Amino acid sequence: MLHASSQINTDVVSPASDVSILHFTVNKDSDTPPYSQLRRAIISARAQGTFKAGDRLPPVRSLAQELNIAVNTVAKAYKELEAAGVIETHGRAGSFITAVDATEHKAHQLTADYVAAMRGLGFEDPQILTMCRHALGFKQIQHHA
C-alpha cells in the first residue's frame, strides 16, 4: 500500500508486465507539486531500469487512492508523461511504459523543432543557448541596451 509522507521513494516492484505496486510517497511539504513528484519518480524508475518497456502502470483512480491524492493529479502526471513519450495510454487497457529510445528520439526532435522555431523568430544560436541556460537555471539573461 502507498502512503503520503515527507519523502520520495522511487522503488518499484514490476511483476511480469503489470506494475501493480509502486513504492512512492508524495512529499506534501515540498514546493514541487505532487503531479510533478510522481512524474519524476516514474521517469527515474524507467531510467534506472526498474520499469521496463511494456510494464503497465496502475490505473489513475487506483494510484490516486493509494497515494491519497486527487485523481486529477495522477491524470495530469500521466498526461505529461504521455506527451513526453515516457508512457503510452491504450484506452481501457491502461498506461504502459515506453522504451527509453523512443523518449530520447522525441527529446531530440523537440529540441531540433525548438531551435528551428527560435531561428525562425530571428534569434542567433548564442541567444538561443543563453535562453536555454536561463530556463534551466544556469545563467541569468543579461539585457543589452
Side-chain angles (χ1 to χ4, degrees), residues 68-91:
N68 196 27
I69 58 178
V71 171
N72 289 342
T73 301
V74 176
K76 183 173 183 174
Y78 278 23
K79 183 178 179 180
E80 288 192 6
L81 288 165
E82 187 169 20
V86 175
I87 68 172
E88 295 175 341
T89 300
H90 300 284

Side-chain angles (χ1 to χ4, degrees), residues 2 18 24 49 53 63 69 100-101 120 138:
L2 304 173
D18 185 15
F24 166 78
L63 187 55
I69 58 178
V100 173
D101 291 343
F138 291 127

Side-chain angles (χ1 to χ4, degrees), residues 54-136:
D55 283 347
R56 184 177 184 271
L57 291 171
V60 171
R61 290 186 189 279
S62 299
L63 187 55
Q65 184 176 11
E66 289 182 32
L67 293 175
N68 196 27
I69 58 178
V71 171
N72 289 342
T73 301
V74 176
K76 183 173 183 174
Y78 278 23
K79 183 178 179 180
E80 288 192 6
L81 288 165
E82 187 169 20
V86 175
I87 68 172
E88 295 175 341
T89 300
H90 300 284
R92 292 189 173 266
S95 297
F96 299 85
I97 299 294
T98 61
V100 173
D101 291 343
T103 301
E104 289 179 24
H105 174 73
K106 185 166 185 162
H108 287 288
Q109 186 61 51
L110 288 170
T111 303
D113 292 348
Y114 170 76
V115 170
M118 294 300 286
R119 286 176 178 158
L121 292 172
F123 289 99
E124 299 293 327
D125 290 354
Q127 293 171 299
I128 297 169
L129 184 57
T130 297
M131 287 182 211
C132 288
R133 286 185 178 163
H134 175 72
L136 292 169

